[in-house]
Amino acid sequence: MIYNRAGEYEVTVFVMDANGLSSSTTTRINIDARLDTDVWTLSTIDTKPLLPGTAITMQFKEGELAGFAGCNTYQGTYTADLNDDGTYTIVAGPLTTSRLACPPDIMEQEQEYLTSLQQVTRATIQQNEIILDSPPGKLDFYLIEAHDPK
C-alpha cells in the first residue's frame, strides 16, 4: 500500500520463512505531508519535460516562495490551506525576479513556468512529488533534499 496523504496509520507487517514459521508486528506511523520543506525540482511543465541542460527549483518556507526559474531567481509570497482531501488550496502573491537575459528558448520556458506558478490554485503532495495545478497547466516537482533535523 502507498500512503500518500497526511495522517496517522497503523501498519502491520507479516513475514513467513521457507519452513512456514511466521511472525507479525504492528506499529503506528505519522505521515506529515507539508509544503514547508527543502528544495523541489521541476520535472515537467504541463507534461512537457524541461529543456536539456536546464533546471527549475522552488521552495516554500514560512509564507515565502523562492527558487530558480531556469535563468533568473525569483521570490514572492504564498498562502496555503490544507483541504479535507489532503490537497492544499494555494494562492501565490506577486513574484519578483532577477533581470538576467538567457537564450530565447530558456526565456520562453521560464516565462511559461512563472505564468503557471503565479496562477497556481492547488497543490497535491504524494511521497516525494508535488503537483501544482493552475489554469495554464500542471507543474510537477520532486523533492531533491530531504530534511535532516540533526
Side-chain angles (χ1 to χ4, degrees), residues 111-140:
Q111 188 57 48
E112 184 178 4
Y113 167 69
L114 292 172
T115 298
S116 290
L117 185 60
Q118 287 185 302
Q119 295 180 42
V120 70
T121 57
R122 185 176 70 167
T124 305
I125 300 173
Q126 296 179 345
Q127 298 173 348
N128 69 334
E129 178 185 33
I130 184 171
I131 299 168
L132 301 181
D133 293 306
S134 70
K138 293 180 187 277
L139 300 173
D140 192 351

PDB file of all heavy atoms in Angstrom, residues 111-140:
ATOM      1  N   GLN A 111       9.263  31.894 -18.692  1.00  0.00           N
ATOM      2  CA  GLN A 111       8.016  32.661 -18.676  1.00  0.00           C
ATOM      3  C   GLN A 111       6.807  31.731 -18.535  1.00  0.00           C
ATOM      4  O   GLN A 111       5.878  32.041 -17.785  1.00  0.00           O
ATOM      5  CB  GLN A 111       7.886  33.523 -19.937  1.00  0.00           C
ATOM      6  CG  GLN A 111       6.711  34.468 -19.879  1.00  0.00           C
ATOM      7  CD  GLN A 111       6.771  35.394 -18.674  1.00  0.00           C
ATOM      8  OE1 GLN A 111       7.789  36.013 -18.383  1.00  0.00           O
ATOM      9  NE2 GLN A 111       5.669  35.493 -17.945  1.00  0.00           N
ATOM     10  N   GLU A 112       6.827  30.593 -19.213  1.00  0.00           N
ATOM     11  CA  GLU A 112       5.734  29.633 -19.095  1.00  0.00           C
ATOM     12  C   GLU A 112       5.631  29.126 -17.651  1.00  0.00           C
ATOM     13  O   GLU A 112       4.540  29.020 -17.089  1.00  0.00           O
ATOM     14  CB  GLU A 112       5.963  28.458 -20.049  1.00  0.00           C
ATOM     15  CG  GLU A 112       4.840  27.462 -20.065  1.00  0.00           C
ATOM     16  CD  GLU A 112       5.059  26.334 -21.055  1.00  0.00           C
ATOM     17  OE1 GLU A 112       6.124  26.260 -21.700  1.00  0.00           O
ATOM     18  OE2 GLU A 112       4.137  25.497 -21.169  1.00  0.00           O
ATOM     19  N   TYR A 113       6.783  28.840 -17.044  1.00  0.00           N
ATOM     20  CA  TYR A 113       6.810  28.378 -15.655  1.00  0.00           C
ATOM     21  C   TYR A 113       6.273  29.444 -14.708  1.00  0.00           C
ATOM     22  O   TYR A 113       5.384  29.182 -13.889  1.00  0.00           O
ATOM     23  CB  TYR A 113       8.239  27.991 -15.250  1.00  0.00           C
ATOM     24  CG  TYR A 113       8.396  27.814 -13.772  1.00  0.00           C
ATOM     25  CD1 TYR A 113       7.790  26.749 -13.105  1.00  0.00           C
ATOM     26  CD2 TYR A 113       9.133  28.724 -13.012  1.00  0.00           C
ATOM     27  CE1 TYR A 113       7.919  26.589 -11.732  1.00  0.00           C
ATOM     28  CE2 TYR A 113       9.266  28.560 -11.644  1.00  0.00           C
ATOM     29  CZ  TYR A 113       8.660  27.500 -11.011  1.00  0.00           C
ATOM     30  OH  TYR A 113       8.783  27.350  -9.653  1.00  0.00           O
ATOM     31  N   LEU A 114       6.802  30.667 -14.803  1.00  0.00           N
ATOM     32  CA  LEU A 114       6.393  31.733 -13.881  1.00  0.00           C
ATOM     33  C   LEU A 114       4.919  32.090 -14.050  1.00  0.00           C
ATOM     34  O   LEU A 114       4.235  32.372 -13.066  1.00  0.00           O
ATOM     35  CB  LEU A 114       7.285  32.963 -14.061  1.00  0.00           C
ATOM     36  CG  LEU A 114       8.739  32.782 -13.635  1.00  0.00           C
ATOM     37  CD1 LEU A 114       9.572  33.998 -14.028  1.00  0.00           C
ATOM     38  CD2 LEU A 114       8.853  32.498 -12.136  1.00  0.00           C
ATOM     39  N   THR A 115       4.409  32.040 -15.274  1.00  0.00           N
ATOM     40  CA  THR A 115       2.984  32.308 -15.510  1.00  0.00           C
ATOM     41  C   THR A 115       2.134  31.263 -14.805  1.00  0.00           C
ATOM     42  O   THR A 115       1.153  31.588 -14.124  1.00  0.00           O
ATOM     43  CB  THR A 115       2.674  32.330 -17.020  1.00  0.00           C
ATOM     44  OG1 THR A 115       3.418  33.398 -17.621  1.00  0.00           O
ATOM     45  CG2 THR A 115       1.194  32.516 -17.284  1.00  0.00           C
ATOM     46  N   SER A 116       2.508  29.987 -14.951  1.00  0.00           N
ATOM     47  CA  SER A 116       1.754  28.915 -14.273  1.00  0.00           C
ATOM     48  C   SER A 116       1.866  29.041 -12.763  1.00  0.00           C
ATOM     49  O   SER A 116       0.872  28.879 -12.043  1.00  0.00           O
ATOM     50  CB  SER A 116       2.268  27.543 -14.714  1.00  0.00           C
ATOM     51  OG  SER A 116       1.915  27.286 -16.043  1.00  0.00           O
ATOM     52  N   LEU A 117       3.068  29.311 -12.273  1.00  0.00           N
ATOM     53  CA  LEU A 117       3.280  29.412 -10.829  1.00  0.00           C
ATOM     54  C   LEU A 117       2.434  30.526 -10.218  1.00  0.00           C
ATOM     55  O   LEU A 117       1.845  30.358  -9.153  1.00  0.00           O
ATOM     56  CB  LEU A 117       4.766  29.624 -10.524  1.00  0.00           C
ATOM     57  CG  LEU A 117       5.154  29.642  -9.059  1.00  0.00           C
ATOM     58  CD1 LEU A 117       4.811  28.328  -8.362  1.00  0.00           C
ATOM     59  CD2 LEU A 117       6.648  29.946  -8.923  1.00  0.00           C
ATOM     60  N   GLN A 118       2.352  31.661 -10.883  1.00  0.00           N
ATOM     61  CA  GLN A 118       1.589  32.779 -10.335  1.00  0.00           C
ATOM     62  C   GLN A 118       0.083  32.530 -10.345  1.00  0.00           C
ATOM     63  O   GLN A 118      -0.650  33.193  -9.637  1.00  0.00           O
ATOM     64  CB  GLN A 118       1.911  34.066 -11.097  1.00  0.00           C
ATOM     65  CG  GLN A 118       3.294  34.574 -10.741  1.00  0.00           C
ATOM     66  CD  GLN A 118       3.594  35.906 -11.370  1.00  0.00           C
ATOM     67  OE1 GLN A 118       3.546  36.060 -12.578  1.00  0.00           O
ATOM     68  NE2 GLN A 118       3.894  36.879 -10.534  1.00  0.00           N
ATOM     69  N   GLN A 119      -0.372  31.548 -11.124  1.00  0.00           N
ATOM     70  CA  GLN A 119      -1.801  31.256 -11.202  1.00  0.00           C
ATOM     71  C   GLN A 119      -2.163  29.953 -10.493  1.00  0.00           C
ATOM     72  O   GLN A 119      -3.277  29.456 -10.647  1.00  0.00           O
ATOM     73  CB  GLN A 119      -2.227  31.185 -12.668  1.00  0.00           C
ATOM     74  CG  GLN A 119      -2.085  32.516 -13.382  1.00  0.00           C
ATOM     75  CD  GLN A 119      -2.504  32.419 -14.834  1.00  0.00           C
ATOM     76  OE1 GLN A 119      -3.499  31.781 -15.160  1.00  0.00           O
ATOM     77  NE2 GLN A 119      -1.754  33.054 -15.707  1.00  0.00           N
ATOM     78  N   VAL A 120      -1.241  29.390  -9.716  1.00  0.00           N
ATOM     79  CA  VAL A 120      -1.483  28.107  -9.063  1.00  0.00           C
ATOM     80  C   VAL A 120      -2.684  28.217  -8.119  1.00  0.00           C
ATOM     81  O   VAL A 120      -2.889  29.238  -7.470  1.00  0.00           O
ATOM     82  CB  VAL A 120      -0.219  27.604  -8.335  1.00  0.00           C
ATOM     83  CG1 VAL A 120       0.098  28.433  -7.109  1.00  0.00           C
ATOM     84  CG2 VAL A 120      -0.342  26.150  -7.952  1.00  0.00           C
ATOM     85  N   THR A 121      -3.498  27.132  -8.098  1.00  0.00           N
ATOM     86  CA  THR A 121      -4.681  27.113  -7.241  1.00  0.00           C
ATOM     87  C   THR A 121      -4.678  25.944  -6.262  1.00  0.00           C
ATOM     88  O   THR A 121      -5.337  25.993  -5.239  1.00  0.00           O
ATOM     89  CB  THR A 121      -5.968  27.013  -8.094  1.00  0.00           C
ATOM     90  OG1 THR A 121      -5.892  25.833  -8.917  1.00  0.00           O
ATOM     91  CG2 THR A 121      -6.139  28.248  -8.962  1.00  0.00           C
ATOM     92  N   ARG A 122      -3.946  24.872  -6.611  1.00  0.00           N
ATOM     93  CA  ARG A 122      -3.979  23.684  -5.766  1.00  0.00           C
ATOM     94  C   ARG A 122      -2.638  22.968  -5.809  1.00  0.00           C
ATOM     95  O   ARG A 122      -1.976  22.940  -6.842  1.00  0.00           O
ATOM     96  CB  ARG A 122      -5.069  22.727  -6.250  1.00  0.00           C
ATOM     97  CG  ARG A 122      -5.248  21.522  -5.336  1.00  0.00           C
ATOM     98  CD  ARG A 122      -6.386  20.656  -5.780  1.00  0.00           C
ATOM     99  NE  ARG A 122      -5.995  20.007  -7.039  1.00  0.00           N
ATOM    100  CZ  ARG A 122      -6.667  18.996  -7.571  1.00  0.00           C
ATOM    101  NH1 ARG A 122      -7.753  18.542  -6.994  1.00  0.00           N
ATOM    102  NH2 ARG A 122      -6.269  18.450  -8.691  1.00  0.00           N
ATOM    103  N   ALA A 123      -2.278  22.363  -4.668  1.00  0.00           N
ATOM    104  CA  ALA A 123      -1.068  21.541  -4.580  1.00  0.00           C
ATOM    105  C   ALA A 123      -1.455  20.168  -4.054  1.00  0.00           C
ATOM    106  O   ALA A 123      -2.228  20.056  -3.103  1.00  0.00           O
ATOM    107  CB  ALA A 123      -0.041  22.180  -3.654  1.00  0.00           C
ATOM    108  N   THR A 124      -0.892  19.139  -4.674  1.00  0.00           N
ATOM    109  CA  THR A 124      -1.080  17.766  -4.226  1.00  0.00           C
ATOM    110  C   THR A 124       0.293  17.178  -3.949  1.00  0.00           C
ATOM    111  O   THR A 124       1.156  17.190  -4.839  1.00  0.00           O
ATOM    112  CB  THR A 124      -1.792  16.925  -5.304  1.00  0.00           C
ATOM    113  OG1 THR A 124      -3.019  17.568  -5.650  1.00  0.00           O
ATOM    114  CG2 THR A 124      -2.066  15.517  -4.804  1.00  0.00           C
ATOM    115  N   ILE A 125       0.502  16.679  -2.728  1.00  0.00           N
ATOM    116  CA  ILE A 125       1.788  16.083  -2.355  1.00  0.00           C
ATOM    117  C   ILE A 125       1.596  14.581  -2.236  1.00  0.00           C
ATOM    118  O   ILE A 125       0.700  14.114  -1.530  1.00  0.00           O
ATOM    119  CB  ILE A 125       2.305  16.656  -1.025  1.00  0.00           C
ATOM    120  CG1 ILE A 125       2.492  18.164  -1.130  1.00  0.00           C
ATOM    121  CG2 ILE A 125       3.619  15.967  -0.628  1.00  0.00           C
ATOM    122  CD1 ILE A 125       2.837  18.828   0.176  1.00  0.00           C
ATOM    123  N   GLN A 126       2.452  13.840  -2.937  1.00  0.00           N
ATOM    124  CA  GLN A 126       2.445  12.378  -2.865  1.00  0.00           C
ATOM    125  C   GLN A 126       3.890  11.926  -2.723  1.00  0.00           C
ATOM    126  O   GLN A 126       4.666  12.054  -3.669  1.00  0.00           O
ATOM    127  CB  GLN A 126       1.831  11.763  -4.116  1.00  0.00           C
ATOM    128  CG  GLN A 126       0.383  12.125  -4.292  1.00  0.00           C
ATOM    129  CD  GLN A 126      -0.221  11.527  -5.550  1.00  0.00           C
ATOM    130  OE1 GLN A 126       0.481  11.071  -6.426  1.00  0.00           O
ATOM    131  NE2 GLN A 126      -1.528  11.538  -5.625  1.00  0.00           N
ATOM    132  N   GLN A 127       4.236  11.430  -1.549  1.00  0.00           N
ATOM    133  CA  GLN A 127       5.592  10.986  -1.240  1.00  0.00           C
ATOM    134  C   GLN A 127       6.571  12.111  -1.529  1.00  0.00           C
ATOM    135  O   GLN A 127       6.511  13.134  -0.882  1.00  0.00           O
ATOM    136  CB  GLN A 127       5.918   9.696  -1.972  1.00  0.00           C
ATOM    137  CG  GLN A 127       5.014   8.560  -1.572  1.00  0.00           C
ATOM    138  CD  GLN A 127       5.215   7.333  -2.417  1.00  0.00           C
ATOM    139  OE1 GLN A 127       5.863   7.349  -3.444  1.00  0.00           O
ATOM    140  NE2 GLN A 127       4.656   6.233  -1.962  1.00  0.00           N
ATOM    141  N   ASN A 128       7.475  11.951  -2.506  1.00  0.00           N
ATOM    142  CA  ASN A 128       8.460  12.998  -2.771  1.00  0.00           C
ATOM    143  C   ASN A 128       8.114  13.815  -4.015  1.00  0.00           C
ATOM    144  O   ASN A 128       8.976  14.378  -4.669  1.00  0.00           O
ATOM    145  CB  ASN A 128       9.853  12.379  -2.926  1.00  0.00           C
ATOM    146  CG  ASN A 128       9.973  11.562  -4.189  1.00  0.00           C
ATOM    147  OD1 ASN A 128       8.988  11.054  -4.707  1.00  0.00           O
ATOM    148  ND2 ASN A 128      11.188  11.430  -4.693  1.00  0.00           N
ATOM    149  N   GLU A 129       6.820  13.908  -4.343  1.00  0.00           N
ATOM    150  CA  GLU A 129       6.365  14.642  -5.510  1.00  0.00           C
ATOM    151  C   GLU A 129       5.307  15.661  -5.096  1.00  0.00           C
ATOM    152  O   GLU A 129       4.487  15.404  -4.231  1.00  0.00           O
ATOM    153  CB  GLU A 129       5.764  13.662  -6.521  1.00  0.00           C
ATOM    154  CG  GLU A 129       5.212  14.313  -7.755  1.00  0.00           C
ATOM    155  CD  GLU A 129       4.525  13.318  -8.680  1.00  0.00           C
ATOM    156  OE1 GLU A 129       3.923  12.335  -8.180  1.00  0.00           O
ATOM    157  OE2 GLU A 129       4.571  13.531  -9.894  1.00  0.00           O
ATOM    158  N   ILE A 130       5.353  16.827  -5.731  1.00  0.00           N
ATOM    159  CA  ILE A 130       4.298  17.821  -5.546  1.00  0.00           C
ATOM    160  C   ILE A 130       3.833  18.255  -6.925  1.00  0.00           C
ATOM    161  O   ILE A 130       4.649  18.502  -7.813  1.00  0.00           O
ATOM    162  CB  ILE A 130       4.771  19.029  -4.697  1.00  0.00           C
ATOM    163  CG1 ILE A 130       3.608  19.996  -4.434  1.00  0.00           C
ATOM    164  CG2 ILE A 130       5.921  19.754  -5.344  1.00  0.00           C
ATOM    165  CD1 ILE A 130       3.920  21.089  -3.441  1.00  0.00           C
ATOM    166  N   ILE A 131       2.520  18.283  -7.103  1.00  0.00           N
ATOM    167  CA  ILE A 131       1.933  18.735  -8.357  1.00  0.00           C
ATOM    168  C   ILE A 131       1.151  19.999  -8.065  1.00  0.00           C
ATOM    169  O   ILE A 131       0.271  20.009  -7.202  1.00  0.00           O
ATOM    170  CB  ILE A 131       1.012  17.660  -8.967  1.00  0.00           C
ATOM    171  CG1 ILE A 131       1.811  16.398  -9.271  1.00  0.00           C
ATOM    172  CG2 ILE A 131       0.325  18.199 -10.228  1.00  0.00           C
ATOM    173  CD1 ILE A 131       0.967  15.199  -9.612  1.00  0.00           C
ATOM    174  N   LEU A 132       1.488  21.069  -8.775  1.00  0.00           N
ATOM    175  CA  LEU A 132       0.784  22.343  -8.646  1.00  0.00           C
ATOM    176  C   LEU A 132      -0.133  22.496  -9.853  1.00  0.00           C
ATOM    177  O   LEU A 132       0.318  22.410 -11.001  1.00  0.00           O
ATOM    178  CB  LEU A 132       1.765  23.507  -8.593  1.00  0.00           C
ATOM    179  CG  LEU A 132       2.788  23.497  -7.458  1.00  0.00           C
ATOM    180  CD1 LEU A 132       3.677  24.743  -7.529  1.00  0.00           C
ATOM    181  CD2 LEU A 132       2.108  23.398  -6.108  1.00  0.00           C
ATOM    182  N   ASP A 133      -1.419  22.709  -9.586  1.00  0.00           N
ATOM    183  CA  ASP A 133      -2.403  22.898 -10.653  1.00  0.00           C
ATOM    184  C   ASP A 133      -2.674  24.381 -10.846  1.00  0.00           C
ATOM    185  O   ASP A 133      -2.852  25.121  -9.868  1.00  0.00           O
ATOM    186  CB  ASP A 133      -3.721  22.207 -10.300  1.00  0.00           C
ATOM    187  CG  ASP A 133      -3.593  20.701 -10.272  1.00  0.00           C
ATOM    188  OD1 ASP A 133      -3.127  20.133 -11.269  1.00  0.00           O
ATOM    189  OD2 ASP A 133      -3.949  20.100  -9.248  1.00  0.00           O
ATOM    190  N   SER A 134      -2.726  24.795 -12.117  1.00  0.00           N
ATOM    191  CA  SER A 134      -3.081  26.170 -12.458  1.00  0.00           C
ATOM    192  C   SER A 134      -3.801  26.139 -13.801  1.00  0.00           C
ATOM    193  O   SER A 134      -3.688  25.155 -14.539  1.00  0.00           O
ATOM    194  CB  SER A 134      -1.831  27.050 -12.537  1.00  0.00           C
ATOM    195  OG  SER A 134      -1.052  26.703 -13.664  1.00  0.00           O
ATOM    196  N   PRO A 135      -4.544  27.196 -14.154  1.00  0.00           N
ATOM    197  CA  PRO A 135      -5.235  27.205 -15.445  1.00  0.00           C
ATOM    198  C   PRO A 135      -4.316  26.942 -16.654  1.00  0.00           C
ATOM    199  O   PRO A 135      -4.705  26.208 -17.554  1.00  0.00           O
ATOM    200  CB  PRO A 135      -5.885  28.585 -15.504  1.00  0.00           C
ATOM    201  CG  PRO A 135      -6.125  28.923 -14.056  1.00  0.00           C
ATOM    202  CD  PRO A 135      -4.921  28.346 -13.327  1.00  0.00           C
ATOM    203  N   PRO A 136      -3.075  27.494 -16.685  1.00  0.00           N
ATOM    204  CA  PRO A 136      -2.217  27.187 -17.838  1.00  0.00           C
ATOM    205  C   PRO A 136      -1.749  25.727 -17.890  1.00  0.00           C
ATOM    206  O   PRO A 136      -1.368  25.236 -18.941  1.00  0.00           O
ATOM    207  CB  PRO A 136      -1.015  28.120 -17.666  1.00  0.00           C
ATOM    208  CG  PRO A 136      -1.482  29.198 -16.765  1.00  0.00           C
ATOM    209  CD  PRO A 136      -2.501  28.556 -15.862  1.00  0.00           C
ATOM    210  N   GLY A 137      -1.732  25.018 -16.759  1.00  0.00           N
ATOM    211  CA  GLY A 137      -1.309  23.625 -16.761  1.00  0.00           C
ATOM    212  C   GLY A 137      -0.700  23.207 -15.441  1.00  0.00           C
ATOM    213  O   GLY A 137      -0.627  23.981 -14.498  1.00  0.00           O
ATOM    214  N   LYS A 138      -0.235  21.957 -15.386  1.00  0.00           N
ATOM    215  CA  LYS A 138       0.336  21.391 -14.162  1.00  0.00           C
ATOM    216  C   LYS A 138       1.838  21.577 -14.122  1.00  0.00           C
ATOM    217  O   LYS A 138       2.516  21.491 -15.143  1.00  0.00           O
ATOM    218  CB  LYS A 138       0.036  19.896 -14.085  1.00  0.00           C
ATOM    219  CG  LYS A 138      -1.418  19.560 -13.897  1.00  0.00           C
ATOM    220  CD  LYS A 138      -1.608  18.051 -13.840  1.00  0.00           C
ATOM    221  CE  LYS A 138      -3.065  17.692 -13.814  1.00  0.00           C
ATOM    222  NZ  LYS A 138      -3.673  17.742 -12.537  1.00  0.00           N
ATOM    223  N   LEU A 139       2.334  21.808 -12.909  1.00  0.00           N
ATOM    224  CA  LEU A 139       3.773  21.845 -12.647  1.00  0.00           C
ATOM    225  C   LEU A 139       4.075  20.656 -11.750  1.00  0.00           C
ATOM    226  O   LEU A 139       3.524  20.549 -10.662  1.00  0.00           O
ATOM    227  CB  LEU A 139       4.167  23.156 -11.959  1.00  0.00           C
ATOM    228  CG  LEU A 139       3.862  24.439 -12.735  1.00  0.00           C
ATOM    229  CD1 LEU A 139       4.143  25.666 -11.867  1.00  0.00           C
ATOM    230  CD2 LEU A 139       4.683  24.493 -14.018  1.00  0.00           C
ATOM    231  N   ASP A 140       4.939  19.762 -12.204  1.00  0.00           N
ATOM    232  CA  ASP A 140       5.245  18.530 -11.478  1.00  0.00           C
ATOM    233  C   ASP A 140       6.674  18.600 -10.951  1.00  0.00           C
ATOM    234  O   ASP A 140       7.626  18.649 -11.734  1.00  0.00           O
ATOM    235  CB  ASP A 140       5.070  17.339 -12.423  1.00  0.00           C
ATOM    236  CG  ASP A 140       5.073  16.007 -11.710  1.00  0.00           C
ATOM    237  OD1 ASP A 140       5.384  15.964 -10.506  1.00  0.00           O
ATOM    238  OD2 ASP A 140       4.787  14.992 -12.366  1.00  0.00           O
TER     239      ASP A 140
END
